Amino acid sequence: MTQQDQAEGQGRRASLERETAETRVRVELDVDGSGSASAETGVGFLDHMLEAFARHGRFDLDLRAEGDLEVDAHHTMEDAALALGQAFDRALGERAGIVRMGDATVPLDEALVQVVVDLSGRPYAAVDLEFTGERIGEAPTELVPHVLGSFAVGARATLHVRQLAGANDHHVAEAAMKALGRALDAATRVDERLAGQVPSTKGTLTA
């Protein structure tokens, strides 16, 4: 497999293209946006999740993906999440002055999901979600935790996701993405008390 990653970051914005033999993904991201969101991946429920994530995180997001959907949705969903995470990594730069950690617990009817994120520079994901069916629309439910984990890898973030309640698969997955957006909104905020310093005793969150 060959891969090309190209990104340009300015301030807390990033423009990124990720291309492999299986997919091509383009991401435009503004961390300090208003929640304007548009996603077109060929997987309708993934589009819905990405737009819910951005709107509740108040990020401006434009994501376009073309993938080998004739095989299945795996590569498209994985690479879209990786590229989105990489865009956050680029946009945040050295991560100086940010709060760094954030958490959110979000309900959607009977579902309740908690997400805790640490923009630590260390990719790790612990995802505890339970689904009763095999698919939500065109999206395999087994790929929802994989999307979250792939995002953590791309963003170089520590991510914990816990389902506290829920019986409807759509509600559980959507609550998780909304909670991720809100937790990231909290973690990426600038803390003026830090005076531009990196919030780590190591002095870096990128090495």
Side-chain angles (χ1 to χ4, degrees):
M1 181 180 71
T2 62
Q3 176 177 312
Q4 293 179 337
D5 288 319
Q6 298 176 336
E8 294 179 359
Q10 182 178 4
R12 284 158 58 100
R13 298 184 180 89
S15 175
L16 181 145
E17 287 193 8
R18 174 185 172 89
E19 186 170 355
T20 74
E22 299 163 336
T23 63
R24 180 177 180 180
V25 185
R26 179 178 62 81
V27 182
E28 300 281 345
L29 173 70
D30 183 353
V31 174
D32 301 308
S34 62
S36 174
S38 179
E40 292 183 8
T41 66
V43 183
F45 187 67
L46 176 60
D47 296 346
H48 179 57
M49 288 200 298
L50 292 171
E51 290 174 358
F53 159 80
R55 286 184 177 139
H56 287 269
R58 302 296 186 262
F59 311 122
D60 289 348
L61 174 66
D62 188 350
L63 189 150
R64 299 287 180 270
E66 297 176 4
D68 54 356
L69 294 176
E70 71 280 3
V71 177
D72 63 16
H74 186 111
H75 299 140
T76 299
M77 293 181 70
E78 177 182 59
D79 286 1
L82 282 169
L84 178 60
Q86 289 167 343
F88 270 90
D89 185 33
R90 303 294 200 277
L92 293 173
E94 295 299 315
R95 311 187 185 198
I98 63 170
V99 172
R100 175 180 162 175
M101 301 172 193
D103 69 274
T105 303
V106 170
L108 203 171
D109 295 349
E110 89 298 339
L112 185 66
V113 179
Q114 179 187 34
V115 171
V116 182
V117 64
D118 178 7
L119 296 172
S120 60
R122 298 184 301 276
Y124 179 82
V127 180
D128 182 11
L129 299 175
E130 296 182 4
F131 297 106
T132 59
E134 294 184 357
R135 290 183 175 271
I136 309 172
E138 309 95 330
T141 50
E142 68 176 4
L143 290 182
V144 175
H146 190 56
V147 162
L148 293 162
S150 297
F151 175 84
V153 169
R156 294 192 296 161
T158 296
L159 181 65
H160 288 261
V161 182
R162 291 195 306 160
Q163 178 181 337
L164 304 178
N168 181 284
D169 289 346
H170 184 128
H171 291 172
V172 170
E174 185 174 340
M177 292 302 289
K178 289 178 178 178
L180 176 60
R182 291 182 66 88
L184 271 172
D185 179 40
T188 57
R189 290 179 186 174
V190 175
D191 186 342
E192 294 181 357
R193 295 171 298 175
L194 287 170
Q197 297 181 61
V198 174
S200 171
T201 55
K202 295 186 301 183
T204 180
L205 293 173
T206 57

